[in-house]
Amino acid sequence: MNTGKNRQFRLASRPVGDITPNNFEYREEPIPSPSDGEVLVRNIYLSLDPTNRIWMSDRPQYMPPVAIGQVMRGGGIGVVEESKHPNFHPGDLVSGLLGWQDYALALGNTGNGISKLPSPLPCPLTAFVGPLGATGITAYCGFLDIGQPQAGETVVVSAAAGAVGSVVGQIAKIKNCRVVGITSSDEKCRWLLEELGFDDAINYKTANLETALAQSCPDGIDIYFDNVGGAILDAVLTKINLHARIPLCGLISAYNATEPVPGPYNYSQILMQRAKIQGFIILDYLPRFPEAMQELGQWLNQGKIKYKLEIVEGLENAPSAILKLFDGNKIGKLAVKVADEPV
Ligand SMILES: NC(=O)c1ccc[n+]([C@@H]2O[C@H](COP(=O)([O-])OP(=O)(O)OC[C@H]3O[C@@H](n4cnc5c(N)ncnc54)[C@H](OP(=O)(O)O)[C@@H]3O)[C@@H](O)[C@H]2O)c1
């Protein structure tokens, strides 16, 4: 809906501990006009991601923090409304760091650039928020490149019912691995087992994790795709095999920490098992995005990858919706619907 104004959420203060809606300031600005080389995009879906919490802080990180007073940074999908760039035309669907607002001014190629989605779309637009978006590509690149899965190996993934974890587990099944997911509720465990084809799922809120891992992984753990760090990483380290690989994707258990977080107690197992732990940021893999999207798209169309989106209606609800990433109160990929999809 064109309201004639550009609703925005700007960063008002840096969170101390959990994010609160007061960390954002609501503003209404005029809809901007593109200058030469720029494109005006109307946002449709705003992706809510754990990294938003990192960007809100001023701790050392992989991109500049969002400045106080700046429009909150966020990935999204939108439609071009007006273009002064030769490669973009009104009606084009694009993705990029569009921000927490109705309208974004984007550069066509560099800086806060946008990328065109394929036309015609090979699948529903929502797939580009989910498995064909940044989180699916993160799963694909981190798991395949650092995990180096071999058929028959045992793979464990944490935050397994989330955007990245659910895709990691399904790719691991495609690669003929045994897959065990760790997540926070029986409902999420059922989704992993009954719909996504995981071999086992552990509710870390109710199980003794070390005991449950020993039962679920009788041959030990060859790959641990770490989305959370903390106590879950520590428990997994007690079960890793010789030459295990640990793609370190995220540390969400520490993002709201107000005190320094100690390293894993069982760190010695990295040495004893000659394991490899490697952090990565999806931006490292930009050249592989087309390959990842193509293969993920094929798996999606073959029904080998399934996904669930938790879509919160309305930009106005973004500041409260983001809390769902940290209280675990959602299944699959979290996003906000800012405007209707074009017909
Ligand atoms: N390296 C990269 O380039 C890259 C790219 C994308 C994402 N990531 C990272 O990957 C991880 C997953 O991201 P996502 O987008 O897929 O998010 P997500 O899994 O869809 O949502 C976050 C999930 O984290 C779990 N969680 C929250 N607080 C936790 C805690 N204290 N301890 C354990 N688990 C907790 C919850 O799942 P449960 O219900 O299972 O607890 C929650 O649903 C995050 O750490 C994120 O920062 C990294």
Side-chain angles (χ1 to χ4, degrees):
M1 181 181 57
N2 184 337
T3 55
K5 60 194 179 199
N6 189 17
R7 298 173 303 156
Q8 300 181 328
F9 284 100
R10 292 173 179 246
L11 185 64
S13 57
R14 302 205 183 279
V16 178
D18 295 350
I19 297 172
T20 74
N22 292 337
N23 293 129
F24 303 96
E25 181 202 359
Y26 177 75
R27 290 264 284 266
E28 290 179 3
E29 298 282 344
I31 299 171
S33 296
S35 305
D36 282 350
E38 289 182 334
V39 177
L40 178 69
V41 179
R42 182 167 58 86
N43 294 345
I44 302 171
Y45 291 109
L46 167 66
S47 176
L48 294 182
D49 297 283
T51 201
N52 296 163
R53 175 66 183 84
I54 299 175
W55 295 338
M56 291 172 80
S57 78
D58 57 4
R59 67 183 67 147
Q61 52 194 277
Y62 63 95
M63 285 177 89
V66 177
I68 301 294
Q70 192 180 341
V71 175
M72 181 59 204
R73 186 187 293 142
I77 286 182
V79 59
V80 173
E81 290 261 308
E82 199 182 336
S83 175
K84 291 206 171 147
H85 189 287
N87 296 349
F88 293 89
H89 302 98
D92 286 348
L93 290 166
V94 296
S95 65
L97 289 176
L98 301 174
W100 290 32
Q101 54 190 345
D102 287 312
Y103 293 90
L105 266 189
L107 299 172
N109 34 25
T110 54
N112 60 336
I114 46 175
S115 307
K116 251 194 243 190
L117 299 186
S119 176
L121 285 176
C123 48
L125 186 58
T126 51
F128 290 89
V129 183
L132 301 188
T135 50
I137 297 172
T138 298
Y140 179 95
C141 294
F143 178 65
L144 294 179
D145 189 44
I146 302 171
Q148 294 288 321
Q150 304 295 316
E153 289 191 320
T154 298
V155 175
V156 172
V157 54
S158 49
V164 175
S166 59
V167 178
V168 167
Q170 294 179 88
I171 298 175
K173 284 311 300 174
I174 291 168
K175 298 293 173 186
N176 297 311
C177 297
R178 173 175 174 76
V179 183
V180 177
I182 302 176
T183 186
S184 65
S185 74
D186 292 345
E187 183 194 3
K188 290 184 180 185
C189 286
R190 271 196 302 280
W191 183 58
L192 298 179
L193 292 169
E194 293 170 11
E195 295 199 35
L196 303 193
F198 281 48
D199 296 287
D200 213 344
I202 299 171
N203 178 346
Y204 72 91
K205 298 273 188 191
T206 54
N208 174 306
L209 202 46
E210 283 192 35
T211 310
L213 284 168
Q215 283 167 357
S216 299
C217 309
D219 298 327
I221 297 167
D222 300 294
I223 303 174
Y224 171 51
F225 193 97
D226 191 6
N227 280 317
V228 304
I232 294 178
L233 169 63
D234 241 325
V236 169
L237 285 177
T238 65
K239 304 284 176 295
I240 56 172
N241 288 337
L242 197 63
H243 303 308
R245 285 84 69 202
I246 304 179
L248 173 49
C249 178
L251 293 165
I252 194 168
S253 70
Y255 292 172
N256 290 326
T258 51
E259 300 290 331
V261 177
Y265 180 77
N266 295 315
Y267 184 59
S268 59
Q269 288 309 299
I270 304 285
L271 173 62
M272 303 311 161
Q273 304 303 332
R274 291 76 133 182
K276 176 175 95 170
I277 182 162
Q278 185 181 328
F280 72 98
I281 295 291
I282 189 52
L283 300 175
D284 306 340
Y285 288 100
L286 276 175
R288 287 187 59 189
F289 275 36
E291 166 210 326
M293 285 174 80
Q294 196 188 9
E295 193 153 29
L296 286 163
Q298 277 168 8
W299 288 333
L300 190 70
N301 286 333
Q302 291 164 353
K304 293 180 178 169
I305 287 201
K306 298 177 182 155
Y307 68 99
K308 210 175 245 204
L309 295 186
E310 172 103 7
I311 300 282
V312 174
E313 290 283 335
L315 179 66
E316 63 279 11
N317 292 315
S320 53
I322 194 167
L323 305 181
K324 288 172 179 276
L325 291 170
F326 299 93
D327 63 19
N329 187 19
K330 59 101 194 137
I331 297 187
K333 174 79 191 93
L334 182 64
V336 169
K337 186 173 171 189
V338 180
D340 289 337
E341 292 186 19
V343 280

